Amino acid sequence: MKRSGKHPARFLVIIPIMVILDIVILSVAAYHDSHIPHDPQNPLRSLPWLSLAAIGYLVPANAAGALTAVILSVIAAVTEKKENQKEKIMKTINIAIDGPGGAGKSSISKAIASELGFIHVDTGAMYRAIALFAVRNHCTAPEQIRERLDEIDVELKFIGGAQRVMLCGEDVTDYIRSPEVTMTASKVSAVPEVRAHLFDLQKKIAAENNIIMDGRDIGSVVLPHADLKIFLTASAEERASRRYLEMREKPDCPSYEDILEDIRKRDYADMHREVAPLVQAEDAVLVDSTNMGFNEVVEHITGLIRTKTDLR
Ligand code: DC
């Protein structure tokens, strides 16, 4: 955490300055003020007068200087305390992880968040929740979803660090991963009003928590001042083959070719939409995980975060 570099006690330097000034003034007064009798034969005769001058003149001056120093120090201490409290409240660590679908952003972010004690925010799930609303209510066209946005209340809950997505009060976390919702999410996320609808909520969560937030536009739009930005990618073929391995035991598993085609379509849609397209932010660190194992990627990114944020 940054410090102001100004210590409240700096005002106490006024005291030695006052003392030096007093000595100068007293010397000048003693030797040049005609009201102080001065006998060069017997300098001790001047002492009572010098003592009187010290009491009548120097003591109040010193007291005033010391009081000023103490008052300024107290004001500085109170101001600094307030600044520190404000900084403590406002300063959270924000890590942005962007990249194409299927690059492992969510599972990797989740592992890193749990290692660092951060909250993992999967913004894709928020778009998926809106897509689920659109599918359920047959309003997937941009103009239809725009009209219904006021009815769509998306909220995130974090239970034991795990994110749950609430849609109008219902926990829909388990219903947002179907192929239909996936394709609709890609469509509705291209609607500027949909993005604006989620933007404030994303900013608010980041302002209040230490977070790893993953998505497509986190480093470029949502958190342009993130402490660290990662662009996590892998070749489309590698992403398709990982997805295929994950799904192949399921009865309705699509073919590798179909998965690859879906990934390419989504990449194209995410990268070519007009608003907040998927791009690598200029200051993002590129991590290409095509030839890296899961743990290797987690360790690599965790190391980057620790170095960048001084976390131990
Ligand atoms: O990461 P995901 O597959 O769960 O994302 C679902 C869709 O939401 C995807 O098509 C891209 C979109 N999305 C987005 O446009 N911006 C984000 N920050 C996150 C996801």
Side-chain angles (χ1 to χ4, degrees), residues 98-102 105-106 122-128 176-177 181-190 195 202 213-218 222 243 266 269-270 273 275-276 278:
D98 291 301
K105 293 184 304 294
S106 276
D122 166 10
T123 58
M126 300 162 100
Y127 290 97
R128 286 171 179 270
I176 55 174
R177 304 281 158 194
V181 171
T182 302
M183 282 326 273
T184 310
S186 182
K187 222 164 127 183
V188 298
S189 63
R195 306 199 73 81
Q202 292 165 354
M213 186 176 275
D214 83 74
R216 304 292 189 284
D217 61 339
I218 309 306
V222 181
R243 181 68 38 101
R266 282 218 294 154
D270 291 347
R273 66 179 175 220
V275 56
L278 170 65

Side-chain angles (χ1 to χ4, degrees), residues 180-226:
E180 191 184 13
V181 171
T182 302
M183 282 326 273
T184 310
S186 182
K187 222 164 127 183
V188 298
S189 63
V191 178
E193 290 81 355
V194 168
R195 306 199 73 81
H197 193 68
L198 297 176
F199 183 80
D200 289 345
L201 175 59
Q202 292 165 354
K203 293 284 281 183
K204 185 168 179 280
I205 297 171
E208 291 172 356
N209 302 281
N210 288 337
I211 49 128
I212 314 275
M213 186 176 275
D214 83 74
R216 304 292 189 284
D217 61 339
I218 309 306
S220 54
V221 177
V222 181
L223 303 175
H225 303 297

Side-chain angles (χ1 to χ4, degrees), residues 9-39:
R10 68 195 182 280
F11 292 111
L12 295 179
V13 297
I14 287 182
I15 292 171
I17 293 173
M18 289 298 299
V19 170
I20 293 165
L21 269 179
D22 289 347
I23 292 169
V24 172
I25 292 166
L26 189 58
S27 310
V28 173
Y31 288 99
H32 298 286
D33 192 323
S34 56
H35 295 295
I36 297 178
H38 178 62
D39 181 353

Side-chain angles (χ1 to χ4, degrees), residues 110-308:
K110 200 185 284 175
I112 298 170
S114 123
E115 163 92 22
L116 298 176
F118 284 19
I119 280 177
H120 165 227
V121 184
D122 166 10
T123 58
M126 300 162 100
Y127 290 97
R128 286 171 179 270
I130 295 188
L132 179 66
F133 179 97
V135 168
R136 283 178 174 177
N137 294 282
H138 312 287
C139 56
T140 54
E143 58 286 357
Q144 292 174 319
I145 197 73
R146 239 179 244 131
E147 272 175 22
R148 308 278 309 258
L149 266 182
D150 283 350
E151 297 168 47
I152 308 179
D153 177 30
V154 176
E155 229 189 304
L156 295 186
K157 283 194 175 164
F158 298 94
I159 299 171
Q163 173 181 296
R164 306 298 298 180
V165 193
M166 313 298 290
L167 173 64
C168 305
E170 178 194 351
D171 185 341
V172 294
T173 316
D174 299 332
Y175 311 120
I176 55 174
R177 304 281 158 194
S178 70
E180 191 184 13
V181 171
T182 302
M183 282 326 273
T184 310
S186 182
K187 222 164 127 183
V188 298
S189 63
V191 178
E193 290 81 355
V194 168
R195 306 199 73 81
H197 193 68
L198 297 176
F199 183 80
D200 289 345
L201 175 59
Q202 292 165 354
K203 293 284 281 183
K204 185 168 179 280
I205 297 171
E208 291 172 356
N209 302 281
N210 288 337
I211 49 128
I212 314 275
M213 186 176 275
D214 83 74
R216 304 292 189 284
D217 61 339
I218 309 306
S220 54
V221 177
V222 181
L223 303 175
H225 303 297
D227 297 83
L228 178 67
K229 300 177 188 176
I230 302 286
F231 193 81
L232 179 63
T233 189
S235 71
E237 292 75 12
E238 174 64 21
R239 285 182 279 141
S241 118
R242 287 179 194 165
R243 181 68 38 101
Y244 178 70
L245 288 176
E246 252 171 49
M247 297 179 74
R248 73 178 164 175
E249 303 299 329
K250 295 188 181 159
D252 53 353
C253 175
S255 68
Y256 166 83
E257 286 71 26
D258 285 349
I259 295 177
L260 181 58
E261 201 190 321
D262 263 10
I263 282 184
R264 288 201 168 122
K265 270 194 206 154
R266 282 218 294 154
D267 281 359
Y268 186 87
D270 291 347
M271 289 191 301
H272 291 87
R273 66 179 175 220
E274 269 180 26
V275 56
L278 170 65
V279 281
Q280 180 182 341
E282 255 179 36
D283 48 352
V285 179
L286 176 69
V287 178
D288 184 340
S289 72
T290 307
N291 297 310
M292 292 169 89
F294 181 86
N295 289 340
E296 204 183 338
V297 179
V298 171
E299 270 170 36
H300 178 57
I301 299 179
T302 308
L304 291 173
I305 296 172
R306 288 194 198 280
T307 310
K308 194 70 197 280

